[in-house]
Amino acid sequence: EKAQLLYNEIDRNRLFYSQVSPEDRSDMNVCFHLHDIALTDAFLDACKNAGCIGLAGHRSVGGFRASIYNAMHIEGVRVLTEVMRTFETNHD
């Protein structure tokens, strides 16, 4: 449920995309990118301000990675998707 919620937002949001085919997407580590990488720091700041931390992707791959293992409550994913929606509105 958590992964589906986040992937739905990534697929819906004009600012973000996933490089992973739907059939290969992880349920535990959701990787995604911004179309405009110049917005990366602003997005990470918006996430941090909302209490979402540790989203920076691997240094060689870039983008973002949300680890949503069992300890991550669905409310945390809801907060992240709300940040993504607000970010889209503010950077459209």
Side-chain angles (χ1 to χ4, degrees), residues 60-71:
S60 66
V61 178
F64 310 98
R65 185 183 78 177
S67 294
I68 55 173
Y69 289 90
N70 293 337

Side-chain angles (χ1 to χ4, degrees), residues 5 15-16 31 39 42 45 57 67 71-72 74 79 81 86-87 92:
L5 180 66
L15 298 181
F16 300 94
C31 297
L39 295 174
D45 286 344
S67 294
M72 168 60 78
I74 194 162
V79 170
T81 58
T86 301
F87 197 77
D92 194 21

Side-chain angles (χ1 to χ4, degrees), residues 2 6 9 14 16 24 26 29 37 41 44 48 50 53-54 57 59 62-64 67 71 73 75-76 91-92:
K2 294 181 288 188
L6 186 49
E9 181 57 28
R14 292 183 304 275
F16 300 94
D24 295 326
S26 172
N29 289 300
I37 62 170
D41 289 339
L44 288 173
K48 184 178 178 182
I53 58 171
R59 67 182 173 272
F64 310 98
S67 294
H73 299 285
E75 186 55 36
H91 294 87
D92 194 21

Side-chain angles (χ1 to χ4, degrees), residues 13-32:
N13 195 307
R14 292 183 304 275
L15 298 181
F16 300 94
Y17 68 97
S18 174
Q19 291 182 311
V20 181
S21 300
E23 63 272 10
D24 295 326
R25 291 176 173 179
S26 172
D27 289 336
M28 297 289 117
N29 289 300
V30 177
C31 297
F32 59 104

